[in-house]
Amino acid sequence: MKKIQQIPSFYLLTFIFAFFSLPGCAHDSYRDLPAGTVKQIDSGVVSKEDVSVPTLPADPPPSLDYQVGPGDILLINVPGRSEFSVAVQNTANKITGNRVDGSGKIHVPYIGAVQVAGLTVSQIEQKLTPLFKKYLQDPAVTVEILDYKSLPIYLIGQFKVAGTFYMDRPITLTQGLSMGGGFDSSANLMGARISRGGKIIPVDLNDLLLNGDMRQNIWLKGGDTIFIPDNKNAQVFVFGAVKKGGAVPFPPGGLNLAQAIGSADIRDTGYDLHHIRIIRSLSTTRGQLIVVDYDKILRGEALPFQLMNGDVIYVPKSAYGDWNDALADILPSLQVISNAIQPFVSLKYLFDK
């Protein structure tokens, strides 16, 4: 029990803000408390469920032998027989080789197109040697990779050196991050994510970098994108029975539930203030499903509920329904803002539905 002698100015402003955001017919339901009123104050949280998704199973260590792919440049040399070698010395006195084309082939003088994608250097030498025997008695074919271009890694966001890098050997996530020279002070590691094949994969960069959880140190694959957002454009999202659904800026001083809902403007009729639902992303793999009795907050029976950057708030359109109903209603909106929402929400409730 807490005796309320005087409502602090912060809470009073929050109350007034929320009061005037409600439909006109509801104003009479929320009045200032008489001086000396004693009420039980709680958090207003009806339920809170920690939820997570399984992390990726550990991959076996990949082979150290590099497999050639489209975009790589090879130098093919037959000593003493320059007419058979795929090498050109340009005006800059630099040797250029044969680029593997989009179909995974190189074009060799006299031999023609040869499929090399997926092969190692030694395997390519073994494949070319019998082909050259049509013209040479005992060809000594050597192959060298001049430039690695088939396995790009994209580092986007708050890296000190963002850009496209290429793997010349198998590398882990931490090795890939080091290519970007680390991240700057504005990095939002809770929102960091890895995309593979158009989907966010369940890897927790925050746990890896801050807590040393090496289970998250996966082997990277060509085409992986590592994105570390900044914490400058923080926001929450409000959907459901509101007139102005969408993003609400999250100021440096923080934001509470009443302020966010007030910005979205609850519609005149058809809403349930007792079961406001919040999807909270703690990382790529961990989050919370929270139900808050907003009506208790407005009545002064619960403290203001503080939000976190990236929270997705849903105001139910009726007193009936569960999380599945809420998610079904939110899903179209989440698809529209999929690039902005936090990674756990994207992973569990957008791509998996």
Side-chain angles (χ1 to χ4, degrees):
M1 296 285 290
K2 179 182 292 186
K3 184 174 182 180
I4 301 179
Q5 299 291 347
Q6 182 177 0
I7 300 177
S9 59
F10 173 78
Y11 293 161
L12 179 59
L13 289 174
T14 298
F15 181 86
I16 294 173
F17 184 84
F19 176 85
F20 283 106
S21 72
L22 290 171
C25 62
H27 287 175
D28 292 338
S29 299
Y30 304 101
R31 296 181 178 275
D32 291 339
L33 298 175
T37 300
V38 177
K39 295 180 71 68
Q40 183 174 355
I41 302 296
D42 59 34
S43 65
V45 175
V46 177
S47 64
K48 180 186 291 187
E49 177 186 359
D50 292 322
V51 286
S52 63
V53 295
T55 57
L56 287 178
D59 288 332
S63 171
L64 295 179
D65 289 329
Y66 183 86
Q67 294 181 337
V68 169
D72 289 336
I73 299 177
L74 307 181
L75 172 62
I76 299 173
N77 185 41
V78 181
R81 304 302 298 265
S82 60
E83 70 272 23
F84 291 101
S85 300
V86 183
V88 178
Q89 191 166 9
N90 60 26
T91 55
N93 202 32
K94 179 180 178 181
I95 296 178
T96 59
N98 194 309
R99 184 179 297 274
V100 181
D101 66 20
S103 62
K105 298 177 181 178
I106 56 172
H107 297 269
V108 184
Y110 299 97
I111 302 299
V114 180
Q115 187 73 35
V116 297
L119 302 179
T120 65
V121 165
S122 61
Q123 289 172 333
I124 296 173
E125 291 174 345
Q126 294 171 9
K127 187 170 186 175
L128 291 176
T129 297
L131 298 178
F132 277 112
K133 283 185 178 180
K134 296 179 182 179
Y135 307 95
L136 303 172
Q137 183 175 359
D138 189 20
V141 182
T142 60
V143 177
E144 179 183 352
I145 301 176
L146 293 181
D147 201 5
Y148 297 85
K149 291 292 185 180
S150 67
L151 298 176
I153 299 294
Y154 307 101
L155 305 184
I156 302 175
Q158 303 310 112
F159 288 94
K160 292 181 178 179
V161 185
T164 303
F165 301 84
Y166 296 91
M167 295 192 295
D168 60 359
R169 63 191 186 284
I171 63 172
T172 63
L173 175 55
T174 53
Q175 291 170 328
L177 293 170
S178 69
M179 290 180 173
F183 46 88
D184 61 32
S185 59
S186 65
N188 173 18
L189 293 181
M190 291 180 65
R193 64 199 76 177
I194 302 175
S195 297
R196 175 177 295 170
K199 291 187 176 183
I200 295 175
I201 61 175
V203 175
D204 193 331
L205 272 75
N206 190 60
D207 268 0
L208 171 63
L209 297 176
L210 298 186
N211 302 324
D213 183 359
M214 298 309 293
R215 294 174 300 175
Q216 312 298 328
N217 194 28
I218 62 170
W219 293 101
L220 294 178
K221 296 184 179 181
D224 282 355
T225 296
I226 305 174
F227 172 58
I228 299 181
D230 62 38
N231 53 22
K232 298 176 182 177
N233 298 315
Q235 54 192 351
V236 300
F237 303 90
V238 185
F239 302 112
V242 294
K243 298 178 182 178
K244 297 181 292 185
V248 176
F250 191 94
L255 186 73
N256 64 43
L257 183 60
Q259 293 167 327
I261 292 179
S263 295
D265 194 4
I266 291 180
R267 67 189 190 185
D268 295 335
T269 60
Y271 52 83
D272 174 15
L273 299 185
H274 295 283
H275 299 90
I276 302 295
R277 299 181 184 273
I278 300 170
I279 305 174
R280 174 166 292 175
S281 177
L282 301 177
S283 74
T284 307
T285 61
R286 297 181 295 109
Q288 293 176 329
L289 301 180
I290 307 170
V291 180
V292 176
D293 189 337
Y294 182 50
D295 183 77
K296 290 183 68 174
I297 295 175
L298 294 177
R299 294 183 182 281
E301 298 173 359
L303 294 174
F305 183 86
Q306 297 301 315
L307 298 173
M308 289 179 57
N309 175 26
D311 280 353
V312 176
I313 303 154
Y314 177 69
V315 180
K317 298 176 181 178
S318 71
Y320 304 98
D322 55 17
W323 272 107
N324 289 332
D325 297 323
L327 294 173
D329 195 23
I330 296 173
L331 186 57
S333 299
L334 293 184
Q335 291 171 331
V336 172
I337 61 166
S338 60
N339 292 329
I341 58 178
Q342 293 289 329
F344 175 77
V345 180
S346 297
L347 183 70
K348 189 170 183 61
Y349 299 113
L350 180 56
F351 293 117
D352 287 354
K353 289 293 180 181

